[in-house]
Amino acid sequence: MSTPVVKIENLVKRYKELIALDHFSLEIYEGEVFGLLGPNGSGKTTAINCLLSLLSFDKGSVEIFGEEMSPDNYKVKSKIGVIMQNVAVINELTVYENIDYFCGLYIKDKAERKKCVEEAVEFVGLEDFVKFYPKKLSGGLLRRLNIACGIAHKPKLIIFDEPTVAVDPQSRNKILEGIQELNRHGATIIYTSHYMEEVEQICTRIAIMDKGRQIALGTTEELKKQIKNTEKITVELMEQSAELLEEIRALPHVYEAEYIEGRAEVKFSGGKHNLIRLLTLLQQKDIRFGRVYSELPTLNDVFLEITGKQLRDS
Ligand code: ADP
Ligand code: MG
């Protein structure tokens, strides 16, 4: 395979007693929209900061575009765009001036810079707000400004650290679409999030993180194939008995069945006609039931099977 755009090997980062990154490794290739998925505190931002040499680390190595990364490797830095988790813009500058300022760190030629800034404004849809100061922008618009500042110099590698947290659904969709468009125009993307749906929606490959470690890696399909769960069926039951639960557990391919409130939740591993078998059993035993739904595994199920915990905050 070609040289990876990013190669992280055995990174260890300690904050005193706490190990924020625990022998963390990663390879990202040109053209990917690579997702780093993990709950809050799993080490995503620490990994990004180490990657960018914004933070020193205890052990390991980072290469970007085939070169060792260091705080003063400006050649590599000029090819990277970063959209930080916490919006980082200058309140004393207008929207246009902010983008021009960040773009100016990399592009000195005035005419070229003007073109880049205007394209960035258009890309994030801030044409009507160029003279506004950041304080006058809504949360969603501020996020878009943050993105414009990170991408105006047309970086080849763009890192988004949780860009949709606390963003309304409309701006969120615009951000996700924008990321895919940047990718179509040739940028390699790193996208961190604790929202599995977003990562599933836009990422070509995903690393799942927990406690500073990479616990799984692959495409969405590959990750889901790594686990036992292939289908979860939930049935609202009008009556429940211990005997029924035992009979459900004895059905082919069932590996877990429980009563939760008024429902039976049944997890299957493989099998083709699980729903029909389950409903046939209920019919044979003359048990009345309400709503029935079958769900395919999610990345939360992947996380749950590997760590024993829910990925979701709630
Ligand atoms: P994420 O971005 O996945 O939410 P972080 O990389 O921010 O996770 O944090 C990883 C772990 O390191 C967490 O336990 C967090 O509390 C801790 N941490 C992050 N920054 C610092 C810091 N400056 N000092 C001490 N601990 C920190
Ligand atoms: Mg973070």
Side-chain angles (χ1 to χ4, degrees), residues 204-243:
T204 52
R205 228 156 45 101
I206 300 160
I208 305 184
M209 286 187 80
D210 186 41
K211 294 184 183 156
R213 286 178 300 132
Q214 189 200 95
I215 59 164
L217 174 72
T219 63
T220 303
E221 291 73 29
E222 287 165 351
L223 288 168
K224 289 178 182 177
K225 275 192 195 137
Q226 288 172 20
I227 61 168
K228 198 157 61 168
N229 183 351
T230 59
E231 185 178 15
K232 182 172 100 176
I233 298 177
T234 307
V235 189
E236 282 179 5
L237 291 175
M238 306 302 157
E239 50 197 299
Q240 297 179 345
S241 69
E243 185 200 328

Side-chain angles (χ1 to χ4, degrees), residues 44-45 85 161-162:
K44 303 180 297 292
T45 299
Q85 182 169 1
D161 194 5
E162 308 235 25

Side-chain angles (χ1 to χ4, degrees), residues 251-269:
L251 288 173
H253 308 293
V254 171
Y255 71 93
E256 204 178 293
E258 294 178 287
Y259 290 140
I260 295 171
E261 288 155 18
R263 312 181 304 270
E265 275 192 13
V266 190
K267 289 182 181 173
F268 295 86
S269 191

Side-chain angles (χ1 to χ4, degrees), residues 242-292:
E243 185 200 328
L244 173 65
L245 195 58
E246 282 315 306
E247 290 190 47
I248 292 175
R249 285 179 177 149
L251 288 173
H253 308 293
V254 171
Y255 71 93
E256 204 178 293
E258 294 178 287
Y259 290 140
I260 295 171
E261 288 155 18
R263 312 181 304 270
E265 275 192 13
V266 190
K267 289 182 181 173
F268 295 86
S269 191
K272 272 191 181 161
H273 306 292
N274 298 325
L275 179 61
I276 293 174
R277 278 205 202 87
L278 180 61
L279 297 185
T280 306
L281 174 70
L282 296 177
Q283 188 188 30
Q284 281 166 356
K285 297 191 59 92
D286 200 21
I287 287 171
R288 289 188 307 135
F289 55 87
R291 273 178 299 187
V292 179

Side-chain angles (χ1 to χ4, degrees), residues 137-154:
L137 299 178
S138 69
L141 293 180
L142 198 56
R143 287 269 170 182
R144 292 198 223 164
L145 170 60
N146 199 38
I147 292 172
C149 292
I151 61 157
H153 62 293
K154 303 206 187 314

